[in-house]
Amino acid sequence: DLYRTSVDSARRVINMFLDAIDFNTECLELQVRLPDPTDLDALHTLAQRWVDVSGIFGLFNNTLGAIDGRLPRTEMPGDVPNQTDYFSGHYQCYGLNAQAVCDPDLIFLYVAVAAPGKVNDIRAFHQCARLLEWF
């Protein structure tokens, strides 16, 4: 162990971090939340911020967020019916498909562990019910 930290201590710190993000009511800048889809002024402001960062080429016209998938690696799960669902053939490892959306300042608006690692990004995206409702 590089940092001489017990597994229990590492879990406790990770859970404290996740609780700080999930249950944050005091610091609006750190809240992970999608903009209200009924607030057209806020959506227009967000779209304009994307135009502003795109420079003279206007690459991000009509953009509300940037989405990408990631495969956080895991150990082979032992408590699931089909372990092969978590194996990514592309990355040749076990993991989960996480999807995230950020604003032009790279602040997360949405984060989800969407599917097992075997699932590609577009299929995982379609598992994100709250994000699909937002669109």
Side-chain angles (χ1 to χ4, degrees):
D1 183 8
L2 181 64
Y3 297 106
R4 301 185 196 283
T5 303
S6 71
V7 171
D8 287 338
S9 292
R11 280 192 185 122
R12 187 175 61 253
V13 170
I14 289 169
N15 286 334
M16 287 171 58
F17 169 78
L18 293 174
D19 286 347
I21 298 296
D22 289 343
F23 303 112
N24 170 28
T25 58
E26 296 175 15
C27 184
L28 294 178
E29 293 82 14
L30 292 179
Q31 288 184 353
V32 177
R33 59 179 164 40
L34 290 167
D36 179 357
T38 63
D39 186 350
L40 297 182
D41 289 335
L43 295 177
H44 287 293
T45 300
L46 180 58
Q48 184 57 50
R49 288 175 47 218
W50 277 103
V51 169
D52 294 344
V53 299
S54 67
I56 61 170
F57 299 110
L59 299 175
F60 298 118
N61 286 330
N62 301 315
T63 300
L64 294 176
I67 187 169
D68 198 8
R70 172 133 170 63
L71 182 85
R73 293 177 182 220
T74 64
E75 293 181 5
M76 181 178 71
D79 57 349
V80 295
N82 192 354
Q83 295 171 332
T84 59
D85 283 348
Y86 292 83
F87 188 79
S88 167
H90 179 76
Y91 294 104
Q92 293 296 302
C93 66
Y94 289 93
L96 299 165
N97 187 312
Q99 298 289 307
V101 177
C102 72
D103 72 6
D105 299 316
L106 305 180
I107 303 296
F108 286 115
L109 301 175
Y110 178 85
V111 178
V113 176
K118 179 180 180 178
V119 176
N120 66 30
D121 282 347
I122 192 65
R123 286 180 50 214
F125 169 77
H126 286 285
Q127 297 297 315
C128 300
R130 185 164 169 250
L131 186 58
L132 292 171
E133 284 176 14
W134 186 72
F135 278 107

